[in-house]
Amino acid sequence: MDVLVTLFYILFCICVVYPPTEFVSAGFTIAQLFENYLGSENVNFMGYHMKRMSITVVIHSALPLGYIFCLWCGGERGQWMLAAAAGMAIIALLAIYKMVCWWEQDKSKHPAVKALLPYVTPGSDWRVVAANLNTEFRSVDKVSVPLTATSKFVATETWLIKVTQYNLNVVKQSDCALVATATDSHNLTPSGEDEVQYVNIEVIPSRDDILRFSFRISTTALRDLQPRLAQPVRVPEHISLLPTLIERFVTVFKQHVEQNPVFMVDQEPELCIGCMQAPADVKINRRCLPPPAHLQGGPPQCQQCNCRVLWCCACMARWWAARAAGAASEWLSGRCTCPVCRSVFCLLDVCPARQSAS
């Protein structure tokens, strides 16, 4: 019986400290259970996390005492239980005393407040900095990247914030540099078509009174985060970031298009109407032969496109990928429609366009 209670309680503690997706979906996390007391994170970011960290420390410190209580409810009556219960109670009381010390006087000993103290000007109050951070957090322009079920990374116009269970790391974007330190890749499918790469990024402050910290996100999340950063993440030469599936498809698409015959045009190429940056350099020109009469039917056959040269190869590849069906390895063997006239074409019909010599 004691073994079953112990195994059950260990599993329960793991789910409390590191809640799985099922617990988060069911609302069985500390932040969700105490939602009414914590208030709204979006309205009062600092106040919310000051309360959340305090409650988290108290609950986690009470877990050992809860184990002794579960053993007692399970029928255990050993002589050692009273001493064990007293020891576990002391741990919980010390955590409560620590939390009281955080909140006494000016709350300057609270871990969340300590993170702001380097930015408090002499003679001022940390609440001024907290109010500025709260205002920026309410902005719709912020980017919030979940790291785990209990931590996240937030980038606002001025601040970079890492939220964990027991701590808060805060630094101004102008006072730090972000450097990629390592990467690791994982295949989600046996074929390797859906590969995800994670990047370890270290935030290195330029001030000695601010602690450096690190976080780990996927390359996809990093691309969403980059526009919000004042300075791009530095990637050393020995680290290579995995391109997205679309970027890899664009590269392969270009390689196949270059093998097709060149379509000569008389006019100077215009800018691509898709990106308005690169010159239009591909022309849909039917090259594949119609199937024999006894094989007609099935998927739609290629048609002649009479549109001008309007698209660059990269935009045409993205248009193709956006309408492709099935596994990524089968995209090139399919067919697509012209973005303008909707004529059906295959990869053999996408020809590189070049201006003829005058």
Side-chain angles (χ1 to χ4, degrees), residues 269-274 276-280 309-311:
E270 306 173 0
L271 288 179
C272 169
I273 63 174
M276 296 302 293
Q277 295 180 354
V309 178
L310 300 173
W311 300 82

Side-chain angles (χ1 to χ4, degrees), residues 29 59 87 198 273 279 298 319:
T29 63
I59 292 179
Y198 289 93
I273 63 174
W319 172 268

Side-chain angles (χ1 to χ4, degrees), residues 264-327:
M264 305 304 297
V265 295
D266 298 329
Q267 299 178 349
E268 184 178 354
E270 306 173 0
L271 288 179
C272 169
I273 63 174
C275 62
M276 296 302 293
Q277 295 180 354
D281 57 2
V282 290
K283 174 69 171 72
I284 300 175
N285 183 39
R286 182 178 180 181
R287 296 179 51 243
C288 57
L289 300 176
H294 67 282
L295 294 179
Q296 289 184 356
Q301 302 303 316
C302 296
Q303 303 168 343
Q304 178 59 40
C305 173
N306 297 317
C307 298
R308 297 182 294 111
V309 178
L310 300 173
W311 300 82
C312 67
C313 191
C315 287
M316 185 63 72
R318 293 187 181 93
W319 172 268
W320 184 296
R323 281 145 186 82

Side-chain angles (χ1 to χ4, degrees), residues 214-234:
S214 61
F215 59 97
R216 178 174 178 265
I217 61 175
S218 65
T219 51
T220 303
L222 177 59
R223 290 182 175 89
D224 296 334
L225 178 64
Q226 286 277 22
R228 185 68 272 176
L229 300 177
Q231 301 178 8
V233 177
R234 300 177 186 174

Side-chain angles (χ1 to χ4, degrees), residues 198-212:
Y198 289 93
V199 187
N200 296 339
I201 300 176
E202 187 166 6
V203 181
I204 305 176
S206 57
R207 298 174 50 171
D208 297 333
D209 55 350
I210 302 177
L211 297 177
R212 65 170 59 188

Side-chain angles (χ1 to χ4, degrees), residues 4-39:
L4 292 177
V5 171
T6 300
L7 292 177
F8 171 80
Y9 198 78
I10 290 176
L11 179 62
F12 171 76
C13 291
I14 293 175
C15 292
V16 170
V17 178
Y18 301 104
T21 305
E22 292 76 13
F23 271 51
V24 176
S25 301
F28 196 76
T29 63
I30 294 176
Q32 292 168 318
L33 291 175
F34 292 89
E35 183 179 3
N36 292 333
Y37 170 71
L38 297 177

Side-chain angles (χ1 to χ4, degrees), residues 121-134:
T121 57
S124 181
D125 192 273
W126 64 266
R127 294 175 181 82
V128 177
V129 183
N132 175 267
L133 193 150
N134 290 341

